[in-house]
Amino acid sequence: MASSCFADHLGDFVALTPTERDAIHRLEERERILRRTGILVRENDRAGELFILKRGMMMSYVLLDDGSRQILRFLFPGDMMGVASIAYALSPETIVALTDCTVCPFECGALAQLMTEHPRLGAAIMVLHQMERVSLTDRLVGLGRTSAKVRVASLLLELRNRMRRFDPEIGSSFVLGLTQEEIGDATGLTAVHVNRMLRQLEDDGLIGRENGRVLFRDEVRLARAANYVDRFEGLDLSWLPAAR
Amino acid sequence: MASSCFADHLGDFVALTPTERDAIHRLEERERILRRTGILVRENDRAGELFILKRGMMMSYVLLDDGSRQILRFLFPGDMMGVASIAYALSPETIVALTDCTVCPFECGALAQLMTEHPRLGAAIMVLHQMERVSLTDRLVGLGRTSAKVRVASLLLELRNRMRRFDPEIGSSFVLGLTQEEIGDATGLTAVHVNRMLRQLEDDGLIGRENGRVLFRDEVRLARAANYVDRFEGLDLSWLPAAR
DNA sequence: CGCAAATTTGAACGTAGTCAACAAGTGTGG
DNA sequence: CCACACTTGTTGACTACGTTCAAATTTGCG
């Protein structure tokens, strides 16, 4: 049986037929290894490909004229990346590896074929995109209307939950794998202030820290403080068309 | 010939066949009138429908526990709304009318049918969603990494450009149709500070104002100051499958 | 071990928020 | 037609959250 990272991810929400799994697997025929800090796609470079992240952790970001950076999204195994290239000739964002990674590049045409031959998969992919869009609006709300402490707490929760999806071993303690500067670029803060917020969360008894490892000391209170919503819950996919 | 707002919008990017137009038109069979301030969908209400905005201006927003509001998106004729309901049982956002509006509700199932019978339209809709997603990341970058003045200038430009798409009459002067509080809730600022930023933009000679009407005095300099990118440009849809 | 990157802390500063008062505009009912 | 209430816009004074700058310390890696 051909294994597919994306099919596994999708399969968490939709029961896939063997034929569908097979079709998805064709998106992952090629493989590319990327070292830590390796750039997969550069902002404003020509972008004709999409990717499935198979192994490792990546992120996408935008650089501004003044040199500041806004991290848009952290990427985990099973995530589809560079999807903007279905619309734009040039990539609107940079995608870079945070750890050593394996990615599977495929052409827009392969997506077209998949959607044509398997409308239900096309619909399911659209669902994934919407989930991602809603997560993005959650972050928008965070940046626009919540305090620094809440934003940092919220990011910690989100990262832990996303990691746990493909590594169920992870409990209330996990390795963050981000510098404080990266946390800042994701939450719209400076590295210095991120440091202070982490200290406060620690002093509040909400988290513990030791060399890159974060421990949730009171997850309920932390989630409440971060007004965090898990967007992998509350799904309703009953409308999907029949498998072909 | 059946007219369809959504088909017109989509038709700006993709040459639609009469059959395709017809299929899209079936999404707009029903119509619903909404008065100004009328709520179409309420956050956390059961959400099984999508909508096409046919006439008027709407917005979507999220309310926080402390009563503050983050506006996510402004909606114009041809926009598809409430798409999150293809993924979630409950709506993650509220959608409300800013002017008297006409909307066309349709079921998730109608979308499923459309994607099955017309894969190319499914792909084209996916492209629209990606364009919207990129706009959202633009706003995320704005909130995370730009000053209050830049955010306000950027919003003005975006609103004018979106209005101009369906009303080519609009030039460097237009009616905003938003209160300063609404501008603030979209840009993550207080109404008071929005007022000061508008005054500064005016004092800088970038804009003029008189009772709700905004005038761009120096659009080039304004766009540069707002590091604004028009996401209706730079498209490449050559990969779309053949029309059926 | 030695060096560069990352973290930590303090002090001063500045952008945006808060609070308050007033003006201007809008709609309603007497 | 006017009086009144209510929303929206405007400005000033003060506050506070987060930034900037700088320096010390720790960590991780070659």
Side-chain angles (χ1 to χ4, degrees), chain B residues 126-143:
Chain B
M126 205 178 264
V127 166
L128 285 186
H129 290 167
Q130 281 306 313
M131 292 169 64
E132 191 204 314
R133 194 198 72 103
V134 172
S135 293
L136 256 159
T137 63
D138 286 340
R139 305 213 27 235
L140 196 77
V141 172
L143 286 187

Side-chain angles (χ1 to χ4, degrees), chain B residues 179-180 192 195-196 199 209:
Chain B
T179 65
Q180 293 180 359
V192 173
N195 183 281
R196 287 194 253 261
R199 164 145 307 289
R209 292 184 296 154

Side-chain angles (χ1 to χ4, degrees), chain A residues 165-202:
Chain A
R165 287 195 70 78
F166 60 88
D167 181 2
E169 297 292 293
I170 291 175
S172 62
S173 161
F174 66 107
V175 176
L176 193 52
L178 296 179
T179 65
Q180 293 180 2
E181 179 154 20
E182 285 160 346
I183 300 175
D185 286 345
T187 53
L189 301 168
T190 58
V192 172
H193 204 59
V194 167
N195 184 280
R196 287 194 249 262
M197 294 303 101
L198 287 171
R199 163 144 305 292
Q200 277 197 32
L201 289 170
E202 197 170 12

Side-chain angles (χ1 to χ4, degrees), chain B residues 58-119:
Chain B
M58 305 186 72
M59 66 173 176
S60 66
Y61 65 85
V62 169
L63 285 179
L64 283 83
D65 302 328
D66 66 356
S68 63
R69 173 177 69 169
Q70 177 65 50
I71 294 176
L72 301 174
R73 190 182 169 210
F74 293 101
L75 299 150
F76 296 95
D79 279 344
M80 200 184 268
M81 314 181 289
V83 187
S85 64
I86 70 170
Y88 297 101
L90 308 182
S91 173
E93 67 205 39
T94 300
I95 306 178
V96 62
L98 286 165
T99 65
D100 292 352
C101 289
T102 309
V103 303
C104 302
F106 62 94
E107 306 291 322
C108 286
L111 180 65
Q113 192 191 345
L114 185 76
M115 293 181 70
T116 304
E117 293 171 3
H118 297 275

